[in-house]
Amino acid sequence: MHGTLPFFGKEACGFDIEPVLNISEGEKVTISEDPEFWMNGWDVTAVKRYFSVLFPGFKEANGEGDAKIDGLFKELTEIMGGEDAVRRFTWPCVLLMATRR
């Protein structure tokens, strides 16, 4: 893992999250990294759709058309390069497969 997702931090969980390896002596470990495995390209419309699915009612919680949220999406649109600009991103993902004899 190259980083921890922010919603798994102390602020979200109430305690520190520390990754722990439990590899015993003599166990075989193979690590394969492909940073493009979960790569996507989205424009601002796709990001808004993602937020509406991930956080249903996120705008309604602050009132429809909430100025702060709209302002953040406007800022994001500018940073991304406009409404139709597509930017690539990757999801941090760890897949652990293990057996013990």
Side-chain angles (χ1 to χ4, degrees):
M1 298 183 314
H2 297 290
T4 302
L5 295 173
F7 49 82
F8 287 127
K10 185 172 186 172
E11 298 79 18
C13 301
F15 53 88
D16 288 325
I17 305 293
E18 294 294 330
V20 177
L21 295 177
N22 289 316
I23 302 168
S24 299
E25 185 177 326
E27 291 181 324
K28 179 183 174 187
V29 176
T30 303
I31 298 174
S32 176
E33 294 186 18
D34 182 357
E36 295 186 5
F37 181 71
W38 276 18
M39 183 172 287
N40 280 307
W42 282 354
D43 60 12
V44 172
T45 301
V47 174
K48 288 179 183 179
R49 185 171 42 250
Y50 172 76
F51 272 91
S52 70
V53 171
L54 185 63
F55 305 109
F58 80 101
K59 284 190 79 167
E60 291 78 9
N62 292 304
E64 183 60 39
D66 178 74
K68 184 173 183 176
I69 293 171
D70 288 343
L72 290 171
F73 276 123
K74 181 179 179 187
E75 183 180 343
L76 179 63
T77 302
E78 292 170 9
I79 291 170
M80 287 179 65
E83 286 284 335
D84 298 323
V86 174
R87 296 293 177 234
R88 295 180 346 158
F89 65 93
T90 61
W91 292 107
C93 174
V94 174
L95 175 62
L96 172 65
M97 297 185 299
T99 60
R100 286 204 166 145
R101 296 178 193 200

